[in-house]
Amino acid sequence: MTLIEKLYPVMKPWLFRLDAERAHTLTVKMMIMAHKVGMLKSVVSGPQQPRSVMGLTFPNVLGLAAGMDKSASAVEAWGALGFGSVEVGTLTPRPQPGNPKPRLFRLPEHQALINRMGFNNPGIQSAVKKLRNRRTKAVVGVNIGKNFDTPNEDAVKDYLICLKAAYSVADYIAVNISSPNTKGLRDLQAEGAVRDLISSLKKEQAALKQEHGKTVPLLVKIAPDLNDMQIEALARVFNEQNIDGVIATNTTIDRESVAGHRLANEGGGLSGAPVRERSTLVLQAFRMLLKEQIPLIGVGGILCGADAAEKLKLGASLVQVYSGLVYRGPGLVREVLETVK
Ligand SMILES: Cc1cc2nc3c(=O)[nH]c(=O)nc-3n(C[C@H](O)[C@H](O)[C@H](O)COP(=O)(O)O)c2cc1C
């Protein structure tokens, strides 16, 4: 067991006494420091099992989900810990502060989080600068969105700005149209809106491919709160537009599974164990509807190795975690990688 794995259970009670966002900021700072002084050892021992997906070689199947490293300031540290990929962001064209605090809450009884961060981020250019000189074996995805004050009619422009800015530094780009914390964002999942958005981005991707001489896959991240008709419509668009991959899923606005909890009615997206089942159902539905060559990344409620194995069995080519890392610490990375070996 590495030092960081031993330390996390000792530190967790202290961290959980702090406000959730404060604890998050502190943990990431400590990770960066530990990496700088060479204290951060990979939890991965022995040979890795690389996966080739979308023309990229992922050192292993486990990725860090978007939102943990919104500013792309710790990609080396996450890679050093053992993650095969790191999805930074969501990044928007202009920097923005996000929603007023408090905006992140723990529901330990449910191994869950509720967040309404609202895309607090330093802007796409700042992240691009940081990623230019990165030194990590991990695949780096850049998750992009629109500014909170950009009307939906102009949303395509925001995504295009981010795509163009990030193309040269990203291994893949994730188009986030599923955060519940930016007003109207999820409306971009409607068939007409998503078709307009994806076709514009695919056109730009083709132009950028010529300019840069490399293909950067374009993925879409979707919500778990979609009915069958919405899922079918989205799959139709993804197939017709030849999207390079789909990330299922973001957080849920449904509160049924945490009803009665004192924080259940906090606004925002619920993540962790309560979203797992719905997330996996959506993943399975897309696997059935999407063309075989379109891969899926499974995310939502992975709290142990078996949860990750289930998503991989039911159609995911890769998996990601966020809330599980808060509750389980770096031990989760080892457990997932040992389970799916
Ligand atoms: C505090 C917090 C912030 C998040 N921020 C983002 C974000 O900026 N962009 C995004 O696409 N997903 C974001 N997510 C969603 C996660 O990437 C993930 O899809 C979701 O939490 C489900 O996975 P989990 O159950 O492992 O947490 C965020 C989640 C949390 C808890």
PDB file of all heavy atoms in Angstrom, residues 65-68 70 87 89-90 104 113-115 117 119 143 176 178-179 221 247 249-251 269-273 275 279 299-303 320-324, ligand 1:
ATOM      1  N   ALA A  65     -13.177  11.830 -13.469  1.00  0.00           N
ATOM      2  CA  ALA A  65     -14.295  12.510 -14.141  1.00  0.00           C
ATOM      3  C   ALA A  65     -14.131  14.026 -14.072  1.00  0.00           C
ATOM      4  O   ALA A  65     -13.417  14.563 -13.215  1.00  0.00           O
ATOM      5  CB  ALA A  65     -15.606  12.087 -13.493  1.00  0.00           C
ATOM      6  N   ALA A  66     -14.823  14.717 -14.976  1.00  0.00           N
ATOM      7  CA  ALA A  66     -14.751  16.176 -15.018  1.00  0.00           C
ATOM      8  C   ALA A  66     -15.278  16.793 -13.721  1.00  0.00           C
ATOM      9  O   ALA A  66     -16.136  16.227 -13.060  1.00  0.00           O
ATOM     10  CB  ALA A  66     -15.570  16.691 -16.189  1.00  0.00           C
ATOM     11  N   GLY A  67     -14.738  17.945 -13.385  1.00  0.00           N
ATOM     12  CA  GLY A  67     -15.215  18.690 -12.222  1.00  0.00           C
ATOM     13  C   GLY A  67     -14.252  18.643 -11.054  1.00  0.00           C
ATOM     14  O   GLY A  67     -14.234  19.538 -10.209  1.00  0.00           O
ATOM     15  N   MET A  68     -13.430  17.592 -10.980  1.00  0.00           N
ATOM     16  CA  MET A  68     -12.467  17.478  -9.878  1.00  0.00           C
ATOM     17  C   MET A  68     -11.293  18.417 -10.131  1.00  0.00           C
ATOM     18  O   MET A  68     -10.790  19.059  -9.227  1.00  0.00           O
ATOM     19  CB  MET A  68     -11.982  16.022  -9.781  1.00  0.00           C
ATOM     20  CG  MET A  68     -11.051  15.729  -8.651  1.00  0.00           C
ATOM     21  SD  MET A  68     -11.863  15.801  -7.053  1.00  0.00           S
ATOM     22  CE  MET A  68     -12.307  14.110  -6.737  1.00  0.00           C
ATOM     23  N   LYS A  70     -11.034  21.327 -12.329  1.00  0.00           N
ATOM     24  CA  LYS A  70     -11.690  22.257 -13.259  1.00  0.00           C
ATOM     25  C   LYS A  70     -10.701  23.157 -13.976  1.00  0.00           C
ATOM     26  O   LYS A  70     -10.983  23.668 -15.052  1.00  0.00           O
ATOM     27  CB  LYS A  70     -12.702  23.118 -12.497  1.00  0.00           C
ATOM     28  CG  LYS A  70     -13.982  22.372 -12.163  1.00  0.00           C
ATOM     29  CD  LYS A  70     -14.962  23.255 -11.447  1.00  0.00           C
ATOM     30  CE  LYS A  70     -16.192  22.506 -10.984  1.00  0.00           C
ATOM     31  NZ  LYS A  70     -17.250  22.391 -12.002  1.00  0.00           N
ATOM     32  N   GLU A  87     -10.040  14.029 -17.061  1.00  0.00           N
ATOM     33  CA  GLU A  87     -10.855  14.958 -17.850  1.00  0.00           C
ATOM     34  C   GLU A  87     -10.929  16.275 -17.095  1.00  0.00           C
ATOM     35  O   GLU A  87     -11.509  16.346 -16.010  1.00  0.00           O
ATOM     36  CB  GLU A  87     -12.256  14.367 -18.060  1.00  0.00           C
ATOM     37  CG  GLU A  87     -13.071  15.124 -19.103  1.00  0.00           C
ATOM     38  CD  GLU A  87     -14.367  14.390 -19.431  1.00  0.00           C
ATOM     39  OE1 GLU A  87     -14.312  13.186 -19.787  1.00  0.00           O
ATOM     40  OE2 GLU A  87     -15.435  15.014 -19.315  1.00  0.00           O
ATOM     41  N   GLY A  89     -11.843  20.411 -16.522  1.00  0.00           N
ATOM     42  CA  GLY A  89     -12.985  21.279 -16.816  1.00  0.00           C
ATOM     43  C   GLY A  89     -14.165  20.918 -15.927  1.00  0.00           C
ATOM     44  O   GLY A  89     -13.997  20.183 -14.960  1.00  0.00           O
ATOM     45  N   THR A  90     -15.304  21.432 -16.255  1.00  0.00           N
ATOM     46  CA  THR A  90     -15.709  22.094 -17.485  1.00  0.00           C
ATOM     47  C   THR A  90     -15.093  23.491 -17.613  1.00  0.00           C
ATOM     48  O   THR A  90     -15.110  24.270 -16.654  1.00  0.00           O
ATOM     49  CB  THR A  90     -17.254  22.199 -17.550  1.00  0.00           C
ATOM     50  OG1 THR A  90     -17.791  20.899 -17.599  1.00  0.00           O
ATOM     51  CG2 THR A  90     -17.741  23.002 -18.739  1.00  0.00           C
ATOM     52  N   LEU A 104     -21.538  22.915  -2.498  1.00  0.00           N
ATOM     53  CA  LEU A 104     -21.164  21.489  -2.532  1.00  0.00           C
ATOM     54  C   LEU A 104     -21.489  20.869  -1.168  1.00  0.00           C
ATOM     55  O   LEU A 104     -21.110  21.423  -0.132  1.00  0.00           O
ATOM     56  CB  LEU A 104     -19.666  21.371  -2.832  1.00  0.00           C
ATOM     57  CG  LEU A 104     -19.054  19.970  -2.822  1.00  0.00           C
ATOM     58  CD1 LEU A 104     -19.715  19.046  -3.835  1.00  0.00           C
ATOM     59  CD2 LEU A 104     -17.553  20.036  -3.107  1.00  0.00           C
ATOM     60  N   LEU A 113     -22.939  13.082  -3.141  1.00  0.00           N
ATOM     61  CA  LEU A 113     -22.671  14.525  -3.079  1.00  0.00           C
ATOM     62  C   LEU A 113     -23.798  15.237  -3.821  1.00  0.00           C
ATOM     63  O   LEU A 113     -24.389  14.667  -4.745  1.00  0.00           O
ATOM     64  CB  LEU A 113     -21.354  14.869  -3.790  1.00  0.00           C
ATOM     65  CG  LEU A 113     -20.052  14.252  -3.272  1.00  0.00           C
ATOM     66  CD1 LEU A 113     -18.912  14.551  -4.256  1.00  0.00           C
ATOM     67  CD2 LEU A 113     -19.691  14.802  -1.888  1.00  0.00           C
ATOM     68  N   ILE A 114     -24.068  16.473  -3.406  1.00  0.00           N
ATOM     69  CA  ILE A 114     -24.921  17.343  -4.219  1.00  0.00           C
ATOM     70  C   ILE A 114     -24.073  18.571  -4.530  1.00  0.00           C
ATOM     71  O   ILE A 114     -23.453  19.143  -3.634  1.00  0.00           O
ATOM     72  CB  ILE A 114     -26.209  17.754  -3.471  1.00  0.00           C
ATOM     73  CG1 ILE A 114     -27.146  16.541  -3.324  1.00  0.00           C
ATOM     74  CG2 ILE A 114     -26.930  18.889  -4.223  1.00  0.00           C
ATOM     75  CD1 ILE A 114     -28.427  16.824  -2.551  1.00  0.00           C
ATOM     76  N   ASN A 115     -24.011  18.943  -5.817  1.00  0.00           N
ATOM     77  CA  ASN A 115     -23.257  20.161  -6.134  1.00  0.00           C
ATOM     78  C   ASN A 115     -24.040  21.050  -7.086  1.00  0.00           C
ATOM     79  O   ASN A 115     -24.797  20.583  -7.933  1.00  0.00           O
ATOM     80  CB  ASN A 115     -21.873  19.804  -6.723  1.00  0.00           C
ATOM     81  CG  ASN A 115     -21.907  19.706  -8.238  1.00  0.00           C
ATOM     82  OD1 ASN A 115     -21.793  20.721  -8.942  1.00  0.00           O
ATOM     83  ND2 ASN A 115     -22.100  18.494  -8.750  1.00  0.00           N
ATOM     84  N   MET A 117     -22.087  23.847  -8.408  1.00  0.00           N
ATOM     85  CA  MET A 117     -20.910  24.701  -8.571  1.00  0.00           C
ATOM     86  C   MET A 117     -21.163  25.767  -9.640  1.00  0.00           C
ATOM     87  O   MET A 117     -20.816  26.936  -9.453  1.00  0.00           O
ATOM     88  CB  MET A 117     -19.677  23.876  -8.967  1.00  0.00           C
ATOM     89  CG  MET A 117     -19.346  22.698  -8.058  1.00  0.00           C
ATOM     90  SD  MET A 117     -19.031  23.156  -6.368  1.00  0.00           S
ATOM     91  CE  MET A 117     -17.394  23.838  -6.517  1.00  0.00           C
ATOM     92  N   PHE A 119     -20.045  25.740 -13.017  1.00  0.00           N
ATOM     93  CA  PHE A 119     -18.898  25.963 -13.915  1.00  0.00           C
ATOM     94  C   PHE A 119     -17.967  27.079 -13.424  1.00  0.00           C
ATOM     95  O   PHE A 119     -17.588  27.971 -14.195  1.00  0.00           O
ATOM     96  CB  PHE A 119     -19.361  26.300 -15.351  1.00  0.00           C
ATOM     97  CG  PHE A 119     -20.026  25.190 -16.112  1.00  0.00           C
ATOM     98  CD1 PHE A 119     -20.656  25.456 -17.319  1.00  0.00           C
ATOM     99  CD2 PHE A 119     -20.012  23.885 -15.644  1.00  0.00           C
ATOM    100  CE1 PHE A 119     -21.268  24.443 -18.051  1.00  0.00           C
ATOM    101  CE2 PHE A 119     -20.633  22.858 -16.351  1.00  0.00           C
ATOM    102  CZ  PHE A 119     -21.261  23.148 -17.555  1.00  0.00           C
ATOM    103  N   ASN A 143     -12.999  19.064 -21.074  1.00  0.00           N
ATOM    104  CA  ASN A 143     -14.462  19.136 -21.051  1.00  0.00           C
ATOM    105  C   ASN A 143     -14.878  20.604 -21.215  1.00  0.00           C
ATOM    106  O   ASN A 143     -14.402  21.473 -20.499  1.00  0.00           O
ATOM    107  CB  ASN A 143     -14.928  18.543 -19.709  1.00  0.00           C
ATOM    108  CG  ASN A 143     -16.427  18.553 -19.531  1.00  0.00           C
ATOM    109  OD1 ASN A 143     -17.077  19.594 -19.665  1.00  0.00           O
ATOM    110  ND2 ASN A 143     -17.001  17.420 -19.192  1.00  0.00           N
ATOM    111  N   ASN A 176     -19.976  19.153 -22.863  1.00  0.00           N
ATOM    112  CA  ASN A 176     -20.886  19.007 -21.730  1.00  0.00           C
ATOM    113  C   ASN A 176     -22.194  19.736 -21.998  1.00  0.00           C
ATOM    114  O   ASN A 176     -22.235  20.964 -22.006  1.00  0.00           O
ATOM    115  CB  ASN A 176     -20.193  19.556 -20.468  1.00  0.00           C
ATOM    116  CG  ASN A 176     -21.050  19.388 -19.225  1.00  0.00           C
ATOM    117  OD1 ASN A 176     -22.130  18.788 -19.274  1.00  0.00           O
ATOM    118  ND2 ASN A 176     -20.584  19.919 -18.113  1.00  0.00           N
ATOM    119  N   SER A 178     -24.931  18.554 -20.200  1.00  0.00           N
ATOM    120  CA  SER A 178     -25.734  17.834 -19.217  1.00  0.00           C
ATOM    121  C   SER A 178     -25.588  18.308 -17.787  1.00  0.00           C
ATOM    122  O   SER A 178     -26.138  17.686 -16.876  1.00  0.00           O
ATOM    123  CB  SER A 178     -25.389  16.347 -19.300  1.00  0.00           C
ATOM    124  OG  SER A 178     -23.978  16.152 -19.270  1.00  0.00           O
ATOM    125  N   SER A 179     -24.858  19.412 -17.566  1.00  0.00           N
ATOM    126  CA  SER A 179     -24.784  19.918 -16.194  1.00  0.00           C
ATOM    127  C   SER A 179     -26.124  20.550 -15.831  1.00  0.00           C
ATOM    128  O   SER A 179     -26.684  21.314 -16.611  1.00  0.00           O
ATOM    129  CB  SER A 179     -23.676  20.962 -16.068  1.00  0.00           C
ATOM    130  OG  SER A 179     -23.836  21.626 -14.825  1.00  0.00           O
ATOM    131  N   LYS A 221     -21.179  14.483 -23.347  1.00  0.00           N
ATOM    132  CA  LYS A 221     -21.533  13.980 -22.013  1.00  0.00           C
ATOM    133  C   LYS A 221     -23.006  14.244 -21.753  1.00  0.00           C
ATOM    134  O   LYS A 221     -23.470  15.381 -21.867  1.00  0.00           O
ATOM    135  CB  LYS A 221     -20.662  14.657 -20.946  1.00  0.00           C
ATOM    136  CG  LYS A 221     -20.918  14.104 -19.549  1.00  0.00           C
ATOM    137  CD  LYS A 221     -19.807  14.485 -18.598  1.00  0.00           C
ATOM    138  CE  LYS A 221     -20.077  14.005 -17.198  1.00  0.00           C
ATOM    139  NZ  LYS A 221     -19.020  14.413 -16.277  1.00  0.00           N
ATOM    140  N   ILE A 247     -20.227  10.009 -23.109  1.00  0.00           N
ATOM    141  CA  ILE A 247     -19.925   9.840 -21.680  1.00  0.00           C
ATOM    142  C   ILE A 247     -21.248   9.806 -20.915  1.00  0.00           C
ATOM    143  O   ILE A 247     -22.014  10.766 -20.940  1.00  0.00           O
ATOM    144  CB  ILE A 247     -19.030  10.990 -21.160  1.00  0.00           C
ATOM    145  CG1 ILE A 247     -17.772  11.115 -22.035  1.00  0.00           C
ATOM    146  CG2 ILE A 247     -18.654  10.759 -19.695  1.00  0.00           C
ATOM    147  CD1 ILE A 247     -16.914  12.333 -21.711  1.00  0.00           C
ATOM    148  N   THR A 249     -22.765   8.974 -17.153  1.00  0.00           N
ATOM    149  CA  THR A 249     -23.562  10.172 -17.231  1.00  0.00           C
ATOM    150  C   THR A 249     -23.038  11.265 -16.289  1.00  0.00           C
ATOM    151  O   THR A 249     -22.154  11.010 -15.471  1.00  0.00           O
ATOM    152  CB  THR A 249     -25.027   9.917 -16.774  1.00  0.00           C
ATOM    153  OG1 THR A 249     -25.015   9.648 -15.354  1.00  0.00           O
ATOM    154  CG2 THR A 249     -25.698   8.818 -17.506  1.00  0.00           C
ATOM    155  N   ASN A 250     -23.707  12.394 -16.379  1.00  0.00           N
ATOM    156  CA  ASN A 250     -23.495  13.489 -15.430  1.00  0.00           C
ATOM    157  C   ASN A 250     -24.324  13.211 -14.154  1.00  0.00           C
ATOM    158  O   ASN A 250     -24.805  12.096 -13.962  1.00  0.00           O
ATOM    159  CB  ASN A 250     -23.929  14.800 -16.103  1.00  0.00           C
ATOM    160  CG  ASN A 250     -23.060  15.974 -15.667  1.00  0.00           C
ATOM    161  OD1 ASN A 250     -22.878  16.187 -14.455  1.00  0.00           O
ATOM    162  ND2 ASN A 250     -22.523  16.728 -16.611  1.00  0.00           N
ATOM    163  N   THR A 251     -24.489  14.220 -13.320  1.00  0.00           N
ATOM    164  CA  THR A 251     -25.247  14.080 -12.063  1.00  0.00           C
ATOM    165  C   THR A 251     -26.753  14.108 -12.352  1.00  0.00           C
ATOM    166  O   THR A 251     -27.191  14.551 -13.410  1.00  0.00           O
ATOM    167  CB  THR A 251     -24.908  15.242 -11.116  1.00  0.00           C
ATOM    168  OG1 THR A 251     -25.178  16.475 -11.808  1.00  0.00           O
ATOM    169  CG2 THR A 251     -23.460  15.218 -10.701  1.00  0.00           C
ATOM    170  N   GLY A 269     -26.913  18.947  -8.706  1.00  0.00           N
ATOM    171  CA  GLY A 269     -26.858  17.579  -9.217  1.00  0.00           C
ATOM    172  C   GLY A 269     -26.386  16.623  -8.140  1.00  0.00           C
ATOM    173  O   GLY A 269     -25.449  16.909  -7.403  1.00  0.00           O
ATOM    174  N   LEU A 270     -27.065  15.485  -8.077  1.00  0.00           N
ATOM    175  CA  LEU A 270     -26.727  14.442  -7.098  1.00  0.00           C
ATOM    176  C   LEU A 270     -25.815  13.415  -7.784  1.00  0.00           C
ATOM    177  O   LEU A 270     -26.085  12.985  -8.909  1.00  0.00           O
ATOM    178  CB  LEU A 270     -28.033  13.783  -6.635  1.00  0.00           C
ATOM    179  CG  LEU A 270     -27.946  12.555  -5.738  1.00  0.00           C
ATOM    180  CD1 LEU A 270     -27.425  12.920  -4.341  1.00  0.00           C
ATOM    181  CD2 LEU A 270     -29.336  11.899  -5.616  1.00  0.00           C
ATOM    182  N   SER A 271     -24.735  13.052  -7.073  1.00  0.00           N
ATOM    183  CA  SER A 271     -23.785  12.073  -7.628  1.00  0.00           C
ATOM    184  C   SER A 271     -23.461  11.023  -6.574  1.00  0.00           C
ATOM    185  O   SER A 271     -23.913  11.125  -5.435  1.00  0.00           O
ATOM    186  CB  SER A 271     -22.502  12.793  -8.069  1.00  0.00           C
ATOM    187  OG  SER A 271     -21.922  13.458  -6.963  1.00  0.00           O
ATOM    188  N   GLY A 272     -22.664  10.041  -6.956  1.00  0.00           N
ATOM    189  CA  GLY A 272     -22.299   8.980  -6.021  1.00  0.00           C
ATOM    190  C   GLY A 272     -23.276   7.811  -6.114  1.00  0.00           C
ATOM    191  O   GLY A 272     -24.014   7.666  -7.096  1.00  0.00           O
ATOM    192  N   ALA A 273     -23.305   6.999  -5.049  1.00  0.00           N
ATOM    193  CA  ALA A 273     -24.078   5.742  -5.082  1.00  0.00           C
ATOM    194  C   ALA A 273     -25.515   5.895  -5.605  1.00  0.00           C
ATOM    195  O   ALA A 273     -25.962   5.051  -6.394  1.00  0.00           O
ATOM    196  CB  ALA A 273     -24.068   5.100  -3.696  1.00  0.00           C
ATOM    197  N   VAL A 275     -26.829   7.570  -7.923  1.00  0.00           N
ATOM    198  CA  VAL A 275     -26.990   7.759  -9.373  1.00  0.00           C
ATOM    199  C   VAL A 275     -26.547   6.515 -10.164  1.00  0.00           C
ATOM    200  O   VAL A 275     -26.786   6.413 -11.362  1.00  0.00           O
ATOM    201  CB  VAL A 275     -26.245   9.039  -9.854  1.00  0.00           C
ATOM    202  CG1 VAL A 275     -24.749   8.815 -10.000  1.00  0.00           C
ATOM    203  CG2 VAL A 275     -26.801   9.547 -11.181  1.00  0.00           C
ATOM    204  N   SER A 279     -27.611   5.674 -14.052  1.00  0.00           N
ATOM    205  CA  SER A 279     -26.481   5.916 -14.948  1.00  0.00           C
ATOM    206  C   SER A 279     -26.167   4.685 -15.797  1.00  0.00           C
ATOM    207  O   SER A 279     -25.937   4.779 -16.998  1.00  0.00           O
ATOM    208  CB  SER A 279     -25.255   6.184 -14.081  1.00  0.00           C
ATOM    209  OG  SER A 279     -24.743   7.413 -14.323  1.00  0.00           O
ATOM    210  N   VAL A 299     -19.749   6.513 -16.242  1.00  0.00           N
ATOM    211  CA  VAL A 299     -19.458   7.283 -15.022  1.00  0.00           C
ATOM    212  C   VAL A 299     -20.752   7.530 -14.264  1.00  0.00           C
ATOM    213  O   VAL A 299     -21.787   7.803 -14.866  1.00  0.00           O
ATOM    214  CB  VAL A 299     -18.702   8.602 -15.347  1.00  0.00           C
ATOM    215  CG1 VAL A 299     -19.381   9.398 -16.434  1.00  0.00           C
ATOM    216  CG2 VAL A 299     -18.506   9.487 -14.119  1.00  0.00           C
ATOM    217  N   GLY A 300     -20.673   7.416 -12.948  1.00  0.00           N
ATOM    218  CA  GLY A 300     -21.837   7.633 -12.101  1.00  0.00           C
ATOM    219  C   GLY A 300     -21.963   6.524 -11.077  1.00  0.00           C
ATOM    220  O   GLY A 300     -22.345   5.404 -11.407  1.00  0.00           O
ATOM    221  N   GLY A 301     -21.566   6.846  -9.846  1.00  0.00           N
ATOM    222  CA  GLY A 301     -21.806   5.926  -8.743  1.00  0.00           C
ATOM    223  C   GLY A 301     -20.841   4.775  -8.613  1.00  0.00           C
ATOM    224  O   GLY A 301     -21.161   3.769  -7.972  1.00  0.00           O
ATOM    225  N   ILE A 302     -19.661   4.899  -9.184  1.00  0.00           N
ATOM    226  CA  ILE A 302     -18.665   3.833  -8.987  1.00  0.00           C
ATOM    227  C   ILE A 302     -18.003   4.035  -7.617  1.00  0.00           C
ATOM    228  O   ILE A 302     -17.248   4.969  -7.413  1.00  0.00           O
ATOM    229  CB  ILE A 302     -17.613   3.820 -10.125  1.00  0.00           C
ATOM    230  CG1 ILE A 302     -18.296   3.480 -11.459  1.00  0.00           C
ATOM    231  CG2 ILE A 302     -16.485   2.824  -9.812  1.00  0.00           C
ATOM    232  CD1 ILE A 302     -17.378   3.487 -12.667  1.00  0.00           C
ATOM    233  N   LEU A 303     -18.342   3.156  -6.683  1.00  0.00           N
ATOM    234  CA  LEU A 303     -17.816   3.250  -5.318  1.00  0.00           C
ATOM    235  C   LEU A 303     -16.905   2.082  -4.968  1.00  0.00           C
ATOM    236  O   LEU A 303     -16.291   2.061  -3.894  1.00  0.00           O
ATOM    237  CB  LEU A 303     -18.982   3.289  -4.310  1.00  0.00           C
ATOM    238  CG  LEU A 303     -19.564   4.649  -3.864  1.00  0.00           C
ATOM    239  CD1 LEU A 303     -18.528   5.477  -3.103  1.00  0.00           C
ATOM    240  CD2 LEU A 303     -20.161   5.452  -4.971  1.00  0.00           C
ATOM    241  N   GLN A 320     -15.056   6.266 -15.351  1.00  0.00           N
ATOM    242  CA  GLN A 320     -14.524   7.426 -14.624  1.00  0.00           C
ATOM    243  C   GLN A 320     -15.149   7.463 -13.220  1.00  0.00           C
ATOM    244  O   GLN A 320     -16.252   6.958 -13.006  1.00  0.00           O
ATOM    245  CB  GLN A 320     -14.901   8.734 -15.332  1.00  0.00           C
ATOM    246  CG  GLN A 320     -14.291   8.922 -16.699  1.00  0.00           C
ATOM    247  CD  GLN A 320     -14.740  10.231 -17.344  1.00  0.00           C
ATOM    248  OE1 GLN A 320     -15.808  10.764 -17.044  1.00  0.00           O
ATOM    249  NE2 GLN A 320     -13.934  10.743 -18.257  1.00  0.00           N
ATOM    250  N   VAL A 321     -14.439   8.128 -12.307  1.00  0.00           N
ATOM    251  CA  VAL A 321     -14.974   8.320 -10.949  1.00  0.00           C
ATOM    252  C   VAL A 321     -14.797   9.763 -10.488  1.00  0.00           C
ATOM    253  O   VAL A 321     -13.858  10.450 -10.900  1.00  0.00           O
ATOM    254  CB  VAL A 321     -14.275   7.408  -9.900  1.00  0.00           C
ATOM    255  CG1 VAL A 321     -14.587   5.955 -10.160  1.00  0.00           C
ATOM    256  CG2 VAL A 321     -12.762   7.621  -9.872  1.00  0.00           C
ATOM    257  N   TYR A 322     -15.701  10.188  -9.618  1.00  0.00           N
ATOM    258  CA  TYR A 322     -15.555  11.455  -8.899  1.00  0.00           C
ATOM    259  C   TYR A 322     -15.922  11.229  -7.431  1.00  0.00           C
ATOM    260  O   TYR A 322     -15.046  11.139  -6.561  1.00  0.00           O
ATOM    261  CB  TYR A 322     -16.427  12.558  -9.529  1.00  0.00           C
ATOM    262  CG  TYR A 322     -16.179  13.938  -8.954  1.00  0.00           C
ATOM    263  CD1 TYR A 322     -16.030  15.047  -9.767  1.00  0.00           C
ATOM    264  CD2 TYR A 322     -16.087  14.137  -7.576  1.00  0.00           C
ATOM    265  CE1 TYR A 322     -15.789  16.310  -9.228  1.00  0.00           C
ATOM    266  CE2 TYR A 322     -15.847  15.390  -7.034  1.00  0.00           C
ATOM    267  CZ  TYR A 322     -15.706  16.465  -7.857  1.00  0.00           C
ATOM    268  OH  TYR A 322     -15.474  17.697  -7.324  1.00  0.00           O
ATOM    269  N   SER A 323     -17.236  11.071  -7.158  1.00  0.00           N
ATOM    270  CA  SER A 323     -17.695  10.964  -5.760  1.00  0.00           C
ATOM    271  C   SER A 323     -17.035   9.800  -5.027  1.00  0.00           C
ATOM    272  O   SER A 323     -16.721   9.919  -3.830  1.00  0.00           O
ATOM    273  CB  SER A 323     -19.217  10.792  -5.716  1.00  0.00           C
ATOM    274  OG  SER A 323     -19.845  11.820  -6.439  1.00  0.00           O
ATOM    275  N   GLY A 324     -16.821   8.701  -5.716  1.00  0.00           N
ATOM    276  CA  GLY A 324     -16.206   7.529  -5.086  1.00  0.00           C
ATOM    277  C   GLY A 324     -14.831   7.854  -4.520  1.00  0.00           C
ATOM    278  O   GLY A 324     -14.434   7.325  -3.478  1.00  0.00           O
TER     279      GLY A 324
HETATM  280  C1  LIG B   1     -18.474  18.758  -7.242  1.00  0.00           C
HETATM  281  C2  LIG B   1     -18.720  18.217  -8.608  1.00  0.00           C
HETATM  282  C3  LIG B   1     -18.425  18.998  -9.709  1.00  0.00           C
HETATM  283  C4  LIG B   1     -18.647  18.522 -11.005  1.00  0.00           C
HETATM  284  N1  LIG B   1     -18.334  19.297 -12.074  1.00  0.00           N
HETATM  285  C5  LIG B   1     -18.505  18.817 -13.329  1.00  0.00           C
HETATM  286  C6  LIG B   1     -18.140  19.598 -14.444  1.00  0.00           C
HETATM  287  O1  LIG B   1     -17.646  20.719 -14.321  1.00  0.00           O
HETATM  288  N2  LIG B   1     -18.358  19.080 -15.676  1.00  0.00           N
HETATM  289  C7  LIG B   1     -18.893  17.829 -15.881  1.00  0.00           C
HETATM  290  O2  LIG B   1     -19.051  17.400 -17.015  1.00  0.00           O
HETATM  291  N3  LIG B   1     -19.227  17.057 -14.819  1.00  0.00           N
HETATM  292  C8  LIG B   1     -19.052  17.521 -13.567  1.00  0.00           C
HETATM  293  N4  LIG B   1     -19.380  16.740 -12.488  1.00  0.00           N
HETATM  294  C9  LIG B   1     -20.004  15.403 -12.735  1.00  0.00           C
HETATM  295  C10 LIG B   1     -18.992  14.268 -12.654  1.00  0.00           C
HETATM  296  O3  LIG B   1     -18.005  14.384 -13.645  1.00  0.00           O
HETATM  297  C11 LIG B   1     -19.709  12.907 -12.816  1.00  0.00           C
HETATM  298  O4  LIG B   1     -20.264  12.847 -14.109  1.00  0.00           O
HETATM  299  C12 LIG B   1     -20.811  12.686 -11.789  1.00  0.00           C
HETATM  300  O5  LIG B   1     -20.448  13.197 -10.524  1.00  0.00           O
HETATM  301  C13 LIG B   1     -21.174  11.207 -11.621  1.00  0.00           C
HETATM  302  O6  LIG B   1     -20.037  10.473 -11.212  1.00  0.00           O
HETATM  303  P1  LIG B   1     -19.752  10.074  -9.666  1.00  0.00           P
HETATM  304  O7  LIG B   1     -20.999   9.420  -9.145  1.00  0.00           O
HETATM  305  O8  LIG B   1     -18.557   9.161  -9.730  1.00  0.00           O
HETATM  306  O9  LIG B   1     -19.462  11.329  -8.954  1.00  0.00           O
HETATM  307  C14 LIG B   1     -19.179  17.204 -11.190  1.00  0.00           C
HETATM  308  C15 LIG B   1     -19.464  16.422 -10.069  1.00  0.00           C
HETATM  309  C16 LIG B   1     -19.237  16.898  -8.795  1.00  0.00           C
HETATM  310  C17 LIG B   1     -19.561  16.032  -7.621  1.00  0.00           C
END
